[in-house]
Amino acid sequence: MEKNQHHLQKGLSPRHVQFIALAGMIGTGIFKGSSDTVSLAGPSVAVSYLIGGALLFIVMSALGEMALVHPGLNVQNLIHKAFGSRVSFIIGWLYWINWVIVTVVELLAAGSFLQFWVPHAPLWLLSLLCAAFIVGINLIEVKYYGEFEFWIAGIKIITLIVFILLGALIIFGLFPGTSSMLSNYTAHGGFFPNGLHGTFSAFLIVMFSYGGAELIGVTISETKDSEKVLPRVIKQTVVRVMLFYILPILIICGIIPWNQVSSVESPFVQVFSRTGIPAAAHVMNFVLLTAVLSAANSGIYATSRTLFNMAQSGEAPRAFLKISRKGVPLTSILLTSLFILAGVILAYLTPDEVISYLMTIPGFTVVLVWIAICAAELRLRKSYAKLPSFRVKGYPFMVWIALLTLAGIFLSFLLGGGNPIGTSVCLAILIVLVVLSLKIKAKE
């Protein structure tokens, strides 16, 4: 038995933490899922991302506030402190399931991007190769994992900046051989082609896209000087992720009429293909590949640390406390790997529909996790001995607005019937977790 069996290493620096959170958010949701949101709402999908970003800021502020009052506690620990074992058990396993599915989706997307170069290779095989690579990265020391994530996430962030600048030149007719394309925002049915219903319908994929911001709350136990780092990282992350979603979406809708955005090829590849720059589509496809691999990398980190934290509080088997000589939760990573393998098998069985089916489920789980964070902040605020320097603006009204809005989003999609398979799976998971939570004997 290793000396450090039950202790994770504090090997993550501020830049690692910020890029891990950004990496978790900037993946399939924007690079591939943007085609789905645009088809649902047209240019008005930017409003969906804006409202989602406002909710994100409130949730992140609540999380940061609680983490400063209770230093060293991550999301799982804070919810446990607010509501005890049963709620923590449900939310913890929901969060684990969320990230397992997200990781599978990202790896399947990686396989689909590889098919751009090897179109005859099966999706499941390419995704399996990507999975093996990412699992290997997660088995090394956390500081090297953080460094790898920093650089690979940096590629997609730089690309998004270039995409925004290049797209703006094209839209305003400043790029050689182009003329102003501003009319695309009002043509083809206007800015709200499918009305407010279309704008609201895009929310579930938007929530899937923004899911990952709360990953900052998972990294706390492995972050140096987390009390000083957290407020700054939260503010920067929220602002940047809104810019990296809303501006690219506006660029896409400005260059390509919303009803011509392909559901097969990434809108980003479509835009770069129209520039006429040699090999632009190949370069963009490479960036997309690194982007989703980066998000999958964050996903395995999130699932393994969530299981480890639940094992510490008695909400998961103690076997998940096993730490390798490299200081990473070995058993937790191995379990996640088995479920990734199951996702790859699913891709073998239904290669055409699997990504669309899976993408909706994390939207439900992210909403529930965010609701739990807001509720925990409302519960714990009363017990603070002293208010921290960083706290939620407009408390308690803003927190209640966020909580009720998130609850409304959850109920509307639960009852809307737009995706019966995803809804049925989510309900089944939730019911099973509630039943199991009644039987656990966890540490209070």
Side-chain angles (χ1 to χ4, degrees), residues 128-157:
L128 184 62
L129 292 174
C130 293
F133 172 70
I134 292 301
V135 170
I137 293 297
N138 276 266
L139 291 174
I140 62 178
E141 289 183 40
V142 72
K143 64 179 180 180
Y144 297 122
Y145 158 85
E147 197 65 25
F148 171 81
E149 190 57 48
F150 174 81
W151 290 105
I152 195 172
I155 293 174
K156 61 185 174 184
I157 291 170

Side-chain angles (χ1 to χ4, degrees), residues 306-335:
T306 299
L307 271 182
F308 179 84
N309 293 329
M310 288 193 294
Q312 283 186 315
S313 57
E315 294 155 12
R318 290 187 59 81
F320 296 118
L321 290 173
K322 175 72 174 178
I323 298 293
S324 72
R325 288 190 175 88
K326 301 293 185 181
V328 298
L330 180 62
T331 315
S332 300
I333 292 175
L334 293 178
L335 179 66

